[in-house]
Amino acid sequence: MRLVQVMVPTGKREAVLDVLDEEDVDYAVSDETSGRDYTAVVTFPLPTAAVEPVLDQLRGVGIERDAYTVVVQAETVVSDRFEALEERYEAEEEENGNGDRIAREELVARADEMAPTVRPYVLMTAVSAVVATAGLLLDSPAVVVGSMVIAPLIGPAMAASVGTVVDDRDLAIRGVKLQALGGGLAIAAAALFAVLLRLTNVVPLTAEEVFAIGEVRERLAPDVLSLVIALGAGAAGAVSLASGVSSALVGVMIAAALVPPTAVVGIGIAWGEPQSVVGSAVLVLVNILAINLVALVVLWRLGYRPKLWFREEEARSTTIQRIAVLAAVLLLLTGMLGAFTYSSYRTNDFEKDATAAIEAELPPEAMLLDLEVTYEGFPLQTPQTIVVTVGHPPSASPPPVATAIRDRVSALAPDPIGPFGREEIRVEIRYIGVDRATA
């Protein structure tokens, strides 16, 4: 529920009171004695669902251009008449399919407030990227989650979507610019911090060792399921904004879709392996587009439109165009995620089949200690180097299975998809003497 205060200009008092009387809204009128162009201050409580239609009617009698209107949240209103008013407007909103949503003016105000000014936005984004980078390199999920909490990423995404559906060009452009700035800044901050760690030998690891870290490895080849996080985050962000509830937890969800993969891109740049983090970069773009796309659709479906009816068609056209562009680009990038998913299944199946084939070639006294495969290609990966480590009794000679293993493993390797055919796969067999203790 809301408490509304309207400063009524000269000549508008009777028109304002007539509107409130027609809507059965109880009000209190105070004379305005500041000596300016106002004659009264009208104060009245409204159900949340009634704010927008009542303000539209007041705007129709000329209040918006000539007066101040203040809407604040009210904790409790004790009145049988107010309860009846609340039930009436809630029933009307349910019939219109809008549900319990805040007024358009409140939505714009909240979106504008959530989009921070540049200085704190830059600082918090850089800090969250640095913390995420540290958490990834430490393989610490707790630190990575902490970086999501401080990331100010929900505001720009919601500002861009709200600005589009209500035809507020300045708000929409501001949201888009902040998102672009935040993405570039997060990658730069993560890369600079990772370079510092590498040069000072704080993280004395090779690129292969860094990419083998669990928190980093799981974001190198994202699949289409990663898209679900962004879609859910965009929908939850729009609904929380439109319903007037806290968006703090939703902000963490949006940050979960953006901050860690952005930090992985910075790490790949710092270790001189940008081609290895292309999948993470694609995931960042997909998530940004998905969040904006779903937020646009949800806000439009909730019934938000420009305040002037003759601008509704323009807003509809702009919204449809942006949804179409976002959907087209998202579909293209999602295809790449699908290719990553398929590639992941191919490599997993290959390693599983290769392990079984190698073990079938080994004599009883030998064992497979390790199978290490290096892949190349984008987005579909094919094995380039295969290192097989075989253990055997120190007192015996290495089993003569190298040729058989090479033939079996090479034959199992998945065929590359493309016009260039298969390059020669290098298979290396290593033997290690191993003592087996018996109980």
Side-chain angles (χ1 to χ4, degrees):
M1 60 194 70
R2 301 292 187 265
L3 184 65
V4 182
Q5 290 184 319
V6 179
M7 297 181 69
V8 182
T10 303
K12 301 295 183 181
R13 177 169 177 159
E14 293 303 321
V16 169
L17 299 184
D18 286 345
V19 168
L20 298 180
D21 287 333
E22 290 176 2
E23 293 296 322
D24 292 328
V25 176
D26 292 328
Y27 55 84
V29 182
S30 303
D31 291 333
E32 213 289 317
T33 59
S34 66
R36 293 177 290 179
D37 296 330
Y38 303 102
T39 61
V41 176
V42 181
T43 303
F44 50 94
L46 283 178
T48 301
V51 175
E52 186 169 343
V54 170
L55 291 184
D56 284 342
Q57 293 189 54
L58 293 177
R59 188 178 300 112
V61 297
I63 289 300
E64 182 184 39
R65 294 186 298 273
D66 302 322
Y68 287 99
T69 301
V70 180
V71 181
V72 296
Q73 185 171 356
E75 295 295 334
T76 305
V77 176
V78 182
S79 170
D80 290 338
R81 287 172 56 85
F82 181 82
E83 291 177 1
L85 183 68
E86 188 173 34
E87 291 176 0
R88 176 163 66 87
Y89 271 102
E90 286 180 352
E92 292 178 0
E93 288 296 308
E94 289 297 332
E95 289 179 2
N96 295 332
N98 293 333
D100 186 16
R101 66 178 182 87
I102 62 177
R104 176 182 56 246
E105 290 80 1
E106 289 186 77
L107 180 78
V108 174
R110 289 196 69 195
D112 185 65
E113 184 179 355
M114 289 174 63
T117 55
V118 173
R119 181 174 297 179
Y121 179 71
V122 166
L123 177 61
M124 294 299 291
T125 300
V127 170
S128 66
V130 168
V131 174
T133 304
L136 292 170
L137 294 175
L138 289 171
D139 200 18
S140 172
V143 177
V144 175
V145 171
S147 71
M148 302 173 191
V149 175
I150 62 176
L153 300 179
I154 183 174
M158 295 300 105
S161 299
V162 170
T164 299
V165 297
V166 302
D167 198 26
D168 188 332
R169 181 178 176 82
D170 292 338
L171 183 61
I173 292 177
R174 181 183 173 196
V176 172
K177 287 183 176 179
L178 284 176
Q179 289 183 86
L181 173 63
L185 178 64
I187 293 176
L192 289 174
F193 180 63
V195 166
L196 179 64
L197 296 178
R198 183 185 179 191
L199 294 179
T200 57
N201 212 33
V202 174
V203 182
L205 301 176
T206 64
E208 291 183 358
E209 291 171 331
V210 167
F211 295 147
I213 297 174
E215 285 290 313
V216 177
R217 184 179 63 248
E218 69 182 35
R219 294 176 173 90
L220 291 176
D223 54 30
V224 291
L225 292 178
S226 303
L227 180 61
V228 176
I229 300 174
L231 294 174
V239 171
S240 66
L241 183 66
S243 60
V245 301
S246 174
S247 300
L249 294 178
V250 180
V252 175
M253 186 177 180
I254 289 179
L258 298 177
V259 175
T262 302
V264 170
V265 174
I267 290 172
I269 294 173
W271 260 267
E273 296 286 343
Q275 72 280 359
S276 299
V277 294
V278 172
S280 298
V282 171
L283 178 60
V284 172
L285 290 175
V286 166
N287 287 346
I288 291 175
L289 295 175
I291 290 169
N292 283 267
L293 174 62
V294 175
L296 275 175
V297 173
V298 170
L299 291 172
W300 189 266
R301 292 295 300 167
L302 287 175
Y304 289 107
R305 302 292 187 272
K307 61 179 64 177
L308 300 177
W309 66 267
F310 56 82
R311 295 178 61 183
E312 182 174 331
E313 188 60 35
E314 181 181 350
R316 182 193 303 273
S317 176
T318 300
T319 301
I320 292 176
Q321 289 176 6
R322 293 183 181 177
I323 288 176
V325 171
L326 289 174
V329 179
L330 184 61
L331 183 62
L332 176 63
L333 294 177
T334 302
M336 297 182 67
L337 289 183
F340 282 124
T341 304
Y342 175 63
S343 179
S344 177
Y345 289 144
R346 286 209 317 167
T347 56
N348 288 338
D349 287 344
F350 166 69
E351 293 183 15
K352 179 180 178 181
D353 293 342
T355 298
I358 293 170
E359 290 178 342
E361 294 292 338
L362 295 177
E365 66 273 10
M367 69 181 74
L368 174 63
L369 299 179
D370 187 40
L371 175 65
E372 181 180 336
V373 185
T374 302
Y375 297 94
E376 291 185 3
F378 172 83
L380 296 175
Q381 297 181 315
T382 54
Q384 297 298 309
T385 303
I386 303 171
V387 179
V388 181
T389 304
V390 176
H392 64 91
S395 58
S397 300
V401 294
T403 300
I405 288 178
R406 286 192 183 96
D407 293 341
R408 290 283 299 270
V409 171
S410 297
L412 289 172
D415 293 327
I417 298 178
F420 301 107
R422 174 185 291 181
E423 297 181 5
E424 183 178 354
I425 299 176
R426 180 170 175 264
V427 181
E428 179 180 335
I429 311 296
R430 298 177 180 176
Y431 295 99
I432 297 178
V434 177
D435 282 323
R436 288 188 177 182
T438 57

